[in-house]
Amino acid sequence: MIKPKGSISPKVDKNEPINIPEIPAGFEVGEVRTLKAVRDSDMGVFLDAGTGNTSEDILLHKQQQITSVQVGDTVAVYLYLDPKKRLAASMRLPRLKVGEVGPGKLMGVTKAGGFVDIGAERGIFLPYREMRGKPKIGSTIWIKPYKDKSGRLAVTMNVDEDMVKNSLPAEVQPGQEVTVLIWRDGDL
């Protein structure tokens, strides 16, 4: 970016709190909930947040519906923050929950990091600092979802401790055929 002469860059106070969006009590970004459709909209249906305040109800956009949802229907949805940091819902449920380890496909890489497909409505952000090695777009990588400082769902490839903790000791006889899972490159 080219700055005009004499322009001043804004100072960022690292001690300033991060603006985390208001989320109705009892709800968390990245969770799967079963909610009831309470009213129609041109954009989709609103799901009851149970607060008694219709402005806190959660939009299930038509594009996030796998099947048509009518007022009165109860649906399982994945909760995420839309680009305007509002709580939104999708019927496309992720294969992994926060803290679980599993495979995801690297969809793309930007200047900020990558995006991984875990079955949710959108790719989940993989910051560069959470990458291990240089994964290729389209490759399957082992990841663990977590919530970042702003409350958004992100993933990390730092899963070594989890993989070791979840591994079982092998009781194998010489010559026995085994199935193995390789989660990262390294010396054998």
Side-chain angles (χ1 to χ4, degrees):
M1 178 172 84
I2 299 173
K3 295 181 186 178
K5 285 185 179 181
S7 69
I8 300 172
S9 297
K11 291 188 177 187
V12 177
D13 182 358
K14 293 184 180 181
N15 295 322
E16 194 172 304
I18 295 171
N19 182 18
I20 297 177
E22 288 294 317
I23 296 176
F27 289 90
E28 289 192 32
V29 172
E31 72 177 342
V32 174
R33 296 288 289 268
T34 301
L35 301 171
K36 185 176 183 177
V38 291
R39 70 180 190 283
D40 267 324
S41 160
D42 290 340
M43 298 177 291
V45 294
F46 280 91
L47 305 174
D48 187 7
T51 64
N53 183 351
T54 58
S55 69
E56 292 182 334
D57 288 346
I58 302 162
L59 177 64
L60 173 57
H61 197 283
K62 290 177 183 175
Q63 292 177 333
Q64 279 91 16
Q65 296 178 24
I66 295 171
T67 58
S68 179
V69 177
Q70 307 300 318
V71 171
D73 290 349
T74 301
V75 293
V77 293
Y78 166 72
L79 301 177
Y80 67 97
L81 293 179
D82 71 10
K84 293 184 179 179
K85 295 189 177 186
R86 298 174 296 202
L87 192 61
S90 173
M91 291 173 69
R92 292 176 182 88
L93 306 180
R95 293 182 299 275
L96 297 173
K97 295 177 185 171
V98 170
E100 293 180 342
V101 174
K105 189 175 208 172
L106 185 62
M107 300 166 50
V109 178
T110 68
K111 291 179 181 179
F115 288 88
V116 180
D117 178 7
I118 64 169
E121 177 58 31
R122 298 177 178 183
I124 307 300
F125 184 55
L126 171 62
Y128 275 117
R129 71 179 179 282
E130 298 295 338
M131 283 188 188
R132 300 296 173 259
K134 294 182 180 180
K136 293 184 169 84
I137 294 173
S139 64
T140 298
I141 55 176
W142 287 87
I143 54 164
K144 178 170 71 172
Y146 69 96
K147 289 186 194 152
D148 69 11
K149 292 178 185 177
S150 68
R152 287 187 183 255
L153 192 63
V155 295
T156 180
M157 290 176 66
N158 187 16
V159 298
D160 289 2
E161 286 182 22
D162 297 281
M163 296 297 272
V164 170
K165 184 173 75 176
N166 293 324
S167 298
L168 298 174
E171 295 181 19
V172 182
Q173 302 301 317
Q176 180 181 351
E177 189 173 307
V178 296
T179 302
V180 297
L181 169 67
I182 299 173
W183 77 88
R184 66 177 169 91
D185 292 335
D187 296 331
L188 292 177

